[in-house]
Coordinates of all heavy atoms in Angstrom, one line a residue:
L1 N 11.2 6.6 13.1 CA 10.5 7.3 12.0 C 10.9 6.7 10.7 O 10.0 6.4 9.8 CB 10.8 8.8 12.0 CG 10.1 9.6 10.9 CD1 8.6 9.5 11.1 CD2 10.5 11.0 11.0
F2 N 12.2 6.4 10.5 CA 12.7 5.8 9.3 C 12.1 4.4 9.1 O 11.6 4.1 8.0 CB 14.2 5.7 9.3 CG 14.8 5.0 8.1 CD1 14.8 5.6 6.9 CD2 15.2 3.7 8.3 CE1 15.3 4.9 5.8 CE2 15.7 3.0 7.2 CZ 15.8 3.6 6.0
M3 N 12.0 3.6 10.1 CA 11.5 2.3 10.0 C 10.0 2.3 9.7 O 9.5 1.5 8.9 CB 11.7 1.5 11.3 CG 13.2 1.2 11.5 SD 13.6 0.5 13.1 CE 12.5 -0.9 13.3
V4 N 9.2 3.3 10.3 CA 7.8 3.4 10.0 C 7.6 3.7 8.5 O 6.8 3.1 7.8 CB 7.1 4.4 10.9 CG1 5.7 4.7 10.5 CG2 7.1 3.9 12.3
I5 N 8.4 4.7 8.0 CA 8.2 5.1 6.6 C 8.6 4.0 5.7 O 8.0 3.7 4.7 CB 9.0 6.4 6.4 CG1 8.4 7.6 7.1 CG2 9.1 6.7 4.9 CD1 9.2 8.8 7.1
A6 N 9.7 3.3 6.0 CA 10.2 2.2 5.1 C 9.2 1.1 5.1 O 8.9 0.5 4.1 CB 11.6 1.7 5.6
G7 N 8.6 0.8 6.3 CA 7.6 -0.3 6.3 C 6.4 0.1 5.6 O 5.8 -0.7 4.9
S8 N 6.0 1.4 5.6 CA 4.8 1.8 4.9 C 5.0 1.7 3.4 O 4.1 1.2 2.6 CB 4.5 3.2 5.2 OG 4.1 3.4 6.6
I9 N 6.2 2.0 2.9 CA 6.5 1.9 1.5 C 6.5 0.5 1.1 O 6.0 0.1 0.1 CB 7.8 2.6 1.2 CG1 7.7 4.2 1.4 CG2 8.3 2.3 -0.2 CD1 9.0 4.9 1.3
A10 N 7.2 -0.4 1.9 CA 7.3 -1.8 1.5 C 6.0 -2.5 1.5 O 5.7 -3.2 0.5 CB 8.2 -2.5 2.5
F11 N 5.1 -2.2 2.4 CA 3.8 -2.9 2.4 C 2.8 -2.3 1.5 O 2.0 -2.9 0.9 CB 3.2 -2.9 3.8 CG 4.0 -3.9 4.8 CD1 4.7 -3.4 5.8 CD2 3.9 -5.2 4.5 CE1 5.3 -4.2 6.7 CE2 4.6 -6.1 5.4 CZ 5.3 -5.6 6.5
G12 N 3.0 -1.0 1.2 CA 2.0 -0.3 0.3 C 2.3 -0.6 -1.1 O 1.4 -0.6 -2.0
A13 N 3.6 -0.9 -1.5 CA 4.0 -1.1 -2.9 C 3.6 -2.5 -3.3 O 3.6 -2.8 -4.5 CB 5.5 -0.9 -3.0
G14 N 3.2 -3.4 -2.4 CA 2.9 -4.8 -2.8 C 1.5 -5.0 -3.2 O 1.1 -6.1 -3.4
G15 N 0.7 -3.9 -3.2 CA -0.8 -4.1 -3.6 C -1.0 -4.5 -5.0 O -0.2 -4.3 -5.9
K16 N -2.1 -5.3 -5.2 CA -2.4 -5.8 -6.6 C -3.6 -5.1 -7.1 O -4.5 -4.7 -6.3 CB -2.6 -7.3 -6.5 CG -1.4 -8.1 -6.2 CD -1.7 -9.5 -6.2 CE -0.5 -10.3 -5.9 NZ -0.7 -11.8 -5.9
D17 N -3.7 -4.9 -8.4 CA -4.9 -4.4 -9.0 C -6.0 -5.4 -9.0 O -5.9 -6.5 -9.7 CB -4.6 -3.9 -10.4 CG -5.8 -3.2 -11.1 OD1 -6.7 -2.9 -10.4 OD2 -5.7 -3.0 -12.3
T18 N -7.0 -5.2 -8.3 CA -8.1 -6.2 -8.2 C -9.2 -6.0 -9.2 O -10.1 -6.7 -9.3 CB -8.8 -6.1 -6.8 OG1 -9.3 -4.8 -6.6 CG2 -7.8 -6.4 -5.7
G19 N -9.1 -4.9 -10.0 CA -10.0 -4.6 -11.0 C -11.2 -3.9 -10.5 O -12.3 -3.8 -11.2
S20 N -11.1 -3.3 -9.3 CA -12.3 -2.6 -8.8 C -11.9 -1.2 -8.6 O -10.7 -0.8 -8.6 CB -12.7 -3.2 -7.4 OG -11.7 -3.0 -6.5
D21 N -12.9 -0.3 -8.5 CA -12.6 1.1 -8.3 C -12.4 1.3 -6.8 O -12.3 0.4 -6.0 CB -13.7 2.0 -8.8 CG -15.1 1.6 -8.2 OD1 -15.1 0.8 -7.3 OD2 -16.1 2.2 -8.6
E22 N -12.3 2.6 -6.4 CA -12.0 2.9 -5.0 C -13.1 2.5 -4.0 O -12.9 2.2 -2.9 CB -11.7 4.4 -4.8 CG -10.4 4.9 -5.4 CD -10.5 5.1 -6.9 OE1 -11.6 5.2 -7.5 OE2 -9.4 5.1 -7.6
S23 N -14.3 2.4 -4.5 CA -15.4 2.0 -3.6 C -15.4 0.5 -3.4 O -16.1 0.0 -2.5 CB -16.7 2.4 -4.3 OG -17.0 1.7 -5.5
G24 N -14.6 -0.3 -4.1 CA -14.6 -1.7 -3.9 C -15.7 -2.5 -4.5 O -16.0 -3.6 -4.1
T25 N -16.5 -1.8 -5.4 CA -17.7 -2.5 -5.9 C -17.3 -3.5 -7.0 O -18.1 -4.3 -7.4 CB -18.7 -1.5 -6.5 OG1 -18.0 -0.7 -7.5 CG2 -19.2 -0.6 -5.4

């Protein structure tokens, strides 16, 4: 459980702002 949560945080924090809204338009 700890590894899953740590992995989710590590991979989720690396996202970049692409300049699009949630719909991806």
Side-chain angles (χ1 to χ4, degrees):
L1 181 63
F2 174 76
M3 290 173 53
V4 168
I5 292 173
S8 298
I9 292 171
F11 289 114
K16 293 181 180 178
D17 184 11
T18 60
S20 64
D21 58 5
E22 288 79 21
S23 65
T25 60

